[in-house]
Amino acid sequence: MNTLNLLRMRARQASAGGHFDSGSTAAVPSPCISVCRMSPDRSHCEGCYRTLDEIGVWARADARLRRSIWARLLGRAGISLAVGDLR
């Protein structure tokens, strides 16, 4: 399975678990799929599509910021979820 499919699956699981719902009290899971290497231009990780800054802030980010990072990385990856999945 390629990295985009793994990331898409991880996003769907997080969405199905309610982690992208702004009313959820559950921790927003990391998008990391254990393919940790930077793109040739060093703009983002080739596994999770986060930037170095996003990876660095993740551990101390609140749920709102984590959902925002998810939205940006999914956009970079060209992955769309159903409307309302990232509230």
Side-chain angles (χ1 to χ4, degrees):
M1 186 173 291
N2 70 36
T3 57
L4 280 176
N5 286 337
L6 288 170
L7 185 58
R8 186 178 290 110
M9 232 172 39
R10 187 142 179 89
R12 286 183 181 153
Q13 289 170 342
S15 178
H19 298 288
F20 294 157
D21 182 354
S22 63
S24 174
T25 58
V28 178
S30 170
C32 180
I33 58 167
S34 298
V35 177
C36 304
R37 65 178 174 257
M38 295 308 288
S39 62
D41 66 0
R42 302 199 46 79
S43 64
H44 64 276
C45 172
E46 290 181 342
C48 68
Y49 282 76
R50 287 181 292 176
T51 65
L52 284 174
D53 288 341
E54 290 166 345
I55 292 167
V57 75
W58 186 266
R60 59 188 183 281
D62 62 14
R64 183 176 178 195
L65 179 54
R66 286 182 176 195
R67 284 190 298 274
S68 173
I69 291 171
W70 263 104
R72 288 192 303 266
L73 73 88
L74 290 172
R76 269 182 228 117
I79 297 171
S80 60
L81 295 176
V83 175
D85 282 339
L86 283 168
R87 292 176 269 204

